[in-house]
Amino acid sequence: MSKIGIVGIRGMVGGTLIERMIKEKDFEESHQYSFFSSSAKNQPGPKINHKQYTFLDAYDLDLMHEMNIILTTQGSDYTKDVYASLRKKGWTGYWIDAASYLRMEKDVIIGLDPINDHVIKEGLARGIKTFVGGNCTVSLLLMGIGNLIKNDWIEWISTMTYQAISGAGAKQIGDLLKQVRAFDIDEQKHPLKLEKEFRQLIKQKTFPLGEIGHPLAFNLLPWIDAKMEDGRTKEEWKGQVELNKIMGLKKILPVDGICVRVPTFRSHAQAVTIKLKKNITIKTIEKEIAGSNSWVKLIPNDVEESKRYLTPLAVSGTLDIAVGRIKQMSMGKDYISLFTVGDQLLWGAAEPLRRMLKIILNIL
Ligand SMILES: NC(=O)c1ccc[n+]([C@@H]2O[C@H](COP(=O)([O-])OP(=O)(O)OC[C@H]3O[C@@H](n4cnc5c(N)ncnc54)[C@H](OP(=O)(O)O)[C@@H]3O)[C@@H](O)[C@H]2O)c1
């Protein structure tokens, strides 16, 4: 019997994880589960298999120390506070994490098992105990085009993202809704007048910026996370370093782009430009993508199919990784573009963690 501590299920990723685990009947009676919270200790936790849990204190290191596996979706600050102290106390259990804080550490594996199962297995065999889920857009991109990288067909990747507000956490969903509701404008007016009133409204001090800090309703924000020294944002920086680490590439595959927050609720999309190492037909590319894994859905480059199936709304709440708009670019035969969208709370966060937990339980 393993003791499994799960931290942070009140959030977007944690909530999605629990939903998935219940749906897939992951809560086996042969293991003991505990639920921890950093802000709701002693309050009612989830009800699973008729058992009502109470949240335990996520900062109680003695309690945490009793766990064989800790899976946290709480966030980087929590990991920063607790992980090193636990290890210092001699805790040798498995740590599975959604947050980015530990991802680039040497003895940490970024787990995305449909893509890097061999890296995970090799890590487990040599005693690695810390596994972290990848950045959401990176995991989603790899689920779609990982095979093209494995085949060594790619010279570089440029990805322009369209990232949903739920990627920024639970609080910001409500903040976006408040912004949308603030536009209580008479739609009978001339569209030019409406649009002008809309711009005046967002300038008012009373406009609810919330944690987002800027108007995002009917807008977009071309900046996600902190600024790096080279002008990239941290989210953009993660694209290259994490993708290369997950794939275990010896020679760096350049990945860059611009990460953009858009006012969708859920699922991240990316418009991707790929410079191929050689001319490969679109048919071959499509075949390779379609055969990547059972979650990829190849969408024909067709108006109706693209508008119906290649959208955040079409994939939200599903494990589908939609890839479409695949075409050769006018820059030359070695350049292709494509569009891909997947649920960042599922394959971009909760699902790799859930699967990682199962992989570890299988070897214990
Ligand atoms: N959102 C995504 O799409 C995504 C994708 C990949 C990775 N991640 C990473 O996963 C981690 C968690 O992200 P998240 O989006 O799940 O963050 P979140 O929704 O903001 O939740 C984070 C934590 O906030 C706490 N919390 C306090 N009051 C809450 C309330 N009223 N409602 C909900 N939660 C409350 C919860 O922990 P306590 O119970 O301990 O207070 C919760 O686990 C972050 O490190 C993030 O970078 C997120």
Side-chain angles (χ1 to χ4, degrees), residues 9 11-21 266 343 345-346 350-351:
I9 67 157
M12 296 304 290
V13 178
T16 306
L17 175 76
I18 291 302
E19 226 176 73
R20 274 292 292 154
M21 289 180 75
R266 184 167 173 162
D343 189 324
L345 289 168
L346 285 164
E351 191 64 7

Side-chain angles (χ1 to χ4, degrees), residues 50-104:
H50 309 293
K51 180 173 174 182
Q52 176 64 58
Y53 289 86
T54 300
F55 281 124
L56 304 173
D57 181 2
Y59 286 110
D60 185 333
L61 294 192
D62 292 333
L63 262 181
M64 302 295 277
H65 206 279
E66 289 173 19
M67 303 295 130
N68 304 109
I69 303 172
I70 294 172
L71 191 165
T72 171
T73 60
Q74 215 287 340
S76 278
D77 288 346
Y78 173 77
T79 301
K80 205 171 175 178
D81 283 351
V82 169
Y83 178 79
S85 314
L86 256 183
R87 291 288 190 217
K88 221 178 258 173
K89 259 170 89 73
W91 183 71
T92 55
Y94 289 92
W95 180 274
I96 306 172
D97 203 332
S100 63
Y101 181 64
L102 295 169
R103 278 184 202 144
M104 296 311 292

Side-chain angles (χ1 to χ4, degrees), residues 273-289:
T273 301
I274 296 174
K275 168 74 173 71
L276 296 167
K277 287 187 174 173
K278 56 184 177 188
N279 177 14
I280 303 166
T281 65
I282 290 299
K283 220 172 174 182
T284 309
I285 298 276
E286 283 180 344
K287 199 169 159 222
E288 202 61 32
I289 290 174

Side-chain angles (χ1 to χ4, degrees), residues 7-14 36-40 58 73-76 98-100 103 134-136 166-171 268 344-345 348-349:
V7 190
I9 67 157
R10 298 166 69 231
M12 296 304 290
V13 178
F36 293 85
S37 166
S38 64
S39 63
T73 60
Q74 215 287 340
S76 278
S100 63
R103 278 184 202 144
N135 169 266
C136 38
S166 56
K171 169 88 175 46
H268 290 351
Q344 98 286 355
L345 289 168

Side-chain angles (χ1 to χ4, degrees), residues 303-347:
V303 55
E304 262 314 303
E305 301 264 350
S306 301
K307 288 184 180 177
R308 187 176 294 187
Y309 301 115
L310 196 56
T311 67
L313 276 179
V315 298
S316 287
T318 79
L319 290 167
D320 293 351
I321 303 289
V323 187
R325 302 300 329 276
I326 305 175
K327 58 188 171 75
Q328 221 155 38
M329 298 182 81
S330 56
M331 290 85 179
K333 286 182 173 167
D334 305 347
Y335 295 82
I336 57 165
S337 66
L338 55 88
F339 193 84
T340 178
V341 58
D343 189 324
Q344 98 286 355
L345 289 168
L346 285 164
W347 271 121

Side-chain angles (χ1 to χ4, degrees), residues 111-148:
L112 182 64
D113 70 279
I115 301 294
N116 69 349
D117 193 39
H118 61 292
V119 178
I120 295 170
K121 288 201 173 119
E122 181 271 327
L124 286 167
R126 67 186 162 91
I128 296 288
K129 293 279 184 79
T130 307
F131 294 85
V132 182
N135 169 266
C136 38
T137 48
V138 174
S139 296
L140 294 173
L141 182 66
L142 284 178
M143 288 296 291
I145 67 157
N147 267 9
L148 309 187

